[in-house]
Amino acid sequence: MSHERLNPHKVAPELQKPMIALGQHISGNIDPTLFELIKLYASMLNGCAHCIDIHSTDAMRAGESTARLFGLIAWHETPFFTDRERAALALTEAATRFGPHGVPDDVFEAARVEFEDRELAYVVAAIGLINMWNRFGVTFQLTPPSAARLAH
């Protein structure tokens, strides 16, 4: 088990304020279910235990099904997601794990079919923001919030 290296929220709380504000702004401009799926899937791709814990808990509280949550990591193989969600998940994957040529044209065009331009800008902002949060979680090995509850 890893230990928390440093908690940036304690040593630089002012840093998270604009990130939280940006998240709130984004959440008001894209579908909330889609926002949770993006945050959870990017966190899974990045191996961020802290964020996976937060976003799976948030999604369950919002009524997301366990089949969709557990199937998210294998969304390519499941029938649980709409075309719109699949386009966002493919874009999340491509924009989280840039290949040698960035986001492939076919992935971008599939997202453009499903989203109006303004909303697509917010989807990409959501992907970028969760990737930044994941960088904190993975680099500092932040303890998942559920860890204290499960330790008892």
Side-chain angles (χ1 to χ4, degrees):
M1 180 176 175
S2 65
H3 67 285
E4 191 165 283
R5 293 173 171 164
L6 180 121
N7 189 320
H9 311 308
K10 290 180 182 172
V11 300
E14 67 283 357
L15 186 58
Q16 72 180 351
K17 288 178 186 176
M19 292 172 63
I20 290 169
L22 180 58
Q24 291 169 340
H25 179 74
I26 292 168
S27 71
N29 286 280
I30 66 172
D31 176 80
T33 299
L34 188 65
F35 193 26
E36 286 305 321
L37 291 175
I38 288 168
K39 291 185 288 187
L40 182 55
Y41 187 51
S43 298
M44 289 174 168
L45 293 173
N46 287 320
C48 183
H50 182 80
C51 293
I52 291 169
D53 184 43
I54 290 170
H55 300 301
S56 61
T57 300
D58 288 349
M60 288 179 71
R61 282 188 189 134
E64 190 60 74
S65 74
T66 55
R68 282 171 44 100
L69 291 180
F70 297 145
L72 188 57
I73 196 67
W75 69 267
H76 295 272
E77 306 298 323
T78 69
F80 306 144
F81 303 97
T82 66
D83 289 345
R84 183 174 169 84
E85 290 168 338
R86 296 171 85 69
L89 293 171
L91 187 59
T92 299
E93 188 172 307
T96 296
R97 294 182 168 169
F98 286 128
H101 305 290
V103 174
D105 289 341
D106 63 325
V107 172
F108 182 79
E109 290 306 320
R112 198 147 201 203
V113 166
E114 295 295 331
F115 298 96
E116 293 178 10
D117 288 353
R118 185 173 193 283
E119 190 172 21
L120 183 55
Y122 278 96
V123 167
V124 173
I127 295 165
L129 181 60
I130 190 55
N131 274 282
M132 187 169 176
W133 283 114
N134 291 166
R135 273 32 181 195
F136 284 112
V138 172
T139 301
F140 297 125
Q141 296 180 349
L142 296 179
T143 303
S146 296
R149 192 175 65 247
L150 296 173
H152 293 109

